[in-house]
Amino acid sequence: MVTIKDIAQAANVSTSTVSRVISGNPRISIQTREKVKAAMKSFNYQPNRAARTLATKQSNTIGIIQKSASIEDSQNPFVLDVLSGIFSKCKNHGYATISTTKCQRIEIELEVQEMIHYHSVDGFIVLYSKKNDPIVDILKSHAMPYVIIGKPLTDDGIIHIDNDNVSASQSLTRYLIDKGHNKFLFVAETGNYEVLKDRIAGHLNAIEQTDSVTDIVYFAKNRHYIRSFFQDLIEHCTLPTVVITSDTLLNHLILSIFYELKLHIPTDIQTATFNDSYLNAFASPPQTTVDIYPKLLGETAAESAINIIQGHNILDFYKLIPTTIIERESTTTIQEV
């Protein structure tokens, strides 16, 4: 049976150095790390994480807390891209990941409590920001290291990785106003999440500075209800000139409804949304979006979580990732008649 001692001898390093490489210690040089990994590969050596966890109470695993593991949420391009960033950064540092898998809040709470109780993780990344969240209370009560992807709600020294969603939404709305739009509809998914509040706030800030008008509506992803809503707008000749959706999946649901209702984009109505992905680029027509760089959000969150777990000094507790408007065929300049 191959042991750490065998790996150390093959790589001509100490056993403690091998242990540090396995644990992802960033103080090990790239050259040494690659030499140890090459020796591990030649022996086909796989570290016994379970035994290590029992001995050290450290799992070298980071828990990921999602707001829900429903099909709608787990297949959301934003979530997939954020997770991709987390996975790649954790792997580079020798950390594994484990995610919550439940849909109901009480079940997610139980999952998190079990991870903590069985020392399954060394820290957490929370993929959302929400007021009065009982899951965050659980993390605090157990003094667990954690990072939040989202807006800080209290001044409690927790690292937050976020975009400036107020500014991003304000910029998108101003861009559309400059295109000639003055009658807006902002469609948001239901839920008391800070990102929705900020995007609506930014939209309203831009609207209030002009003579434009807007309506804010909240929808669960209920196709029948949304279709009825737009059917009613058509019948009463009260369609807006542009619809902004708070989320890519909501945007695509509305695009399919517009197709059924024979509303043509961008001639009959125009559309824009948040979080760029291949779905937006290959939609019909391609969608104007605000790119929020979700993979970078995930990478930055993972890097920050690892730094906390390893006891590094933290200087920046609120890290903002930039945003960019990507203009596509779903929005064009409105021609004056």
Side-chain angles (χ1 to χ4, degrees):
M1 178 179 175
V2 179
T3 66
I4 284 181
K5 186 176 180 180
D6 298 320
I7 302 300
Q9 289 177 345
N12 196 27
V13 298
S14 67
T15 55
S16 62
T17 296
V18 176
S19 294
R20 292 189 184 99
V21 171
I22 293 173
S23 66
N25 191 315
R27 296 181 181 178
I28 301 297
S29 69
I30 295 176
Q31 182 180 4
T32 299
R33 186 184 304 122
E34 293 305 318
K35 186 166 58 171
V36 171
K37 287 184 175 180
M40 291 169 62
K41 184 176 181 180
S42 68
F43 282 100
N44 195 27
Y45 175 77
Q46 297 293 329
N48 188 334
R49 291 187 179 273
R52 228 174 125 266
T53 299
L54 289 173
T56 65
K57 302 299 183 184
Q58 291 183 324
S59 65
N60 270 61
T61 300
I62 292 178
I64 300 170
I65 302 175
Q66 301 191 54
K67 63 181 182 181
S68 170
S70 66
I71 292 177
E72 292 85 355
D73 288 317
S74 62
Q75 294 185 5
N76 189 316
F78 168 78
V79 174
L80 295 176
D81 288 343
V82 167
L83 291 178
S84 174
I86 293 173
F87 295 158
S88 63
K89 186 63 67 172
C90 286
K91 183 177 181 181
N92 290 343
H93 286 275
Y95 278 77
T97 56
I98 182 172
S99 176
T100 53
T101 61
K102 304 298 184 182
C103 298
Q104 302 301 320
R105 299 301 295 174
I106 186 64
E107 294 177 326
I108 298 173
E109 291 175 33
L110 292 173
E111 277 189 295
V112 171
Q113 289 173 331
E114 286 181 357
M115 289 184 200
I116 296 171
H117 177 75
Y118 291 108
H119 304 285
S120 301
V121 299
D122 298 329
F124 289 91
I125 298 174
V126 185
L127 300 192
Y128 61 87
S129 177
K130 188 175 184 179
K131 281 186 178 180
N132 304 317
D133 186 5
I135 291 177
V136 168
D137 292 338
I138 291 170
L139 302 183
K140 289 180 178 179
S141 68
H142 288 88
M144 290 297 298
Y146 69 97
V147 171
I148 290 178
I149 296 181
K151 177 182 177 180
L153 303 176
T154 57
D155 185 17
D156 53 6
I158 302 302
I159 293 181
H160 288 74
I161 317 298
D162 197 14
N163 310 109
D164 187 341
N165 283 290
V166 173
S167 176
S169 185
Q170 188 166 292
S171 295
L172 177 62
T173 305
R174 285 175 176 167
Y175 157 82
L176 293 168
I177 290 171
D178 290 342
K179 288 285 185 181
H181 291 283
N182 60 14
K183 188 177 181 182
F184 289 78
L185 177 67
F186 193 107
V187 181
E189 61 179 324
T190 55
N192 191 33
Y193 295 98
E194 293 304 309
V195 63
L196 297 177
K197 297 177 184 177
D198 282 356
R199 288 174 181 172
I200 291 170
H203 173 67
L204 292 175
N205 287 347
I207 292 294
E208 289 168 0
Q209 296 172 17
T210 69
D211 58 358
S212 302
V213 296
T214 189
D215 283 325
I216 312 294
V217 294
Y218 297 86
F219 291 131
K221 293 183 177 72
N222 183 312
R223 184 183 190 85
H224 175 74
Y225 184 77
I226 298 174
R227 191 183 191 283
S228 297
F229 174 84
F230 281 103
Q231 181 70 58
D232 186 65
L233 293 183
I234 293 171
E235 291 175 357
H236 290 85
C237 299
T238 54
L239 277 172
T241 58
V242 62
V243 175
I244 300 176
T245 48
S246 63
D247 167 80
T248 290
L249 288 186
L250 191 55
N251 170 263
H252 271 64
L253 176 56
I254 287 176
L255 291 185
S256 68
I257 289 171
F258 284 178
Y259 176 80
E260 290 179 359
L261 297 175
K262 302 187 186 309
L263 285 175
H264 298 286
I265 303 169
T267 52
D268 296 333
I269 195 167
Q270 299 190 14
T271 52
T273 191
F274 293 85
N275 184 34
D276 194 45
S277 75
Y278 66 92
L279 291 179
N280 306 117
F282 294 106
S284 181
Q287 296 292 295
T288 292
T289 64
V290 177
D291 193 349
I292 61 176
Y293 302 101
K295 186 174 182 182
L296 182 56
L297 284 167
E299 291 172 344
T300 307
E303 186 82 42
S304 299
I306 292 167
N307 285 338
I308 298 174
I309 291 166
Q310 295 181 347
H312 297 171
N313 289 331
I314 305 299
L315 300 177
D316 187 3
F317 285 87
Y318 187 31
K319 302 179 182 181
L320 282 175
I321 304 301
T323 61
T324 304
I325 295 175
I326 299 179
E327 181 179 4
R328 296 196 179 98
E329 288 87 334
S330 69
T331 57
T332 60
T333 300
I334 296 179
Q335 301 298 325
E336 292 186 6
V337 180

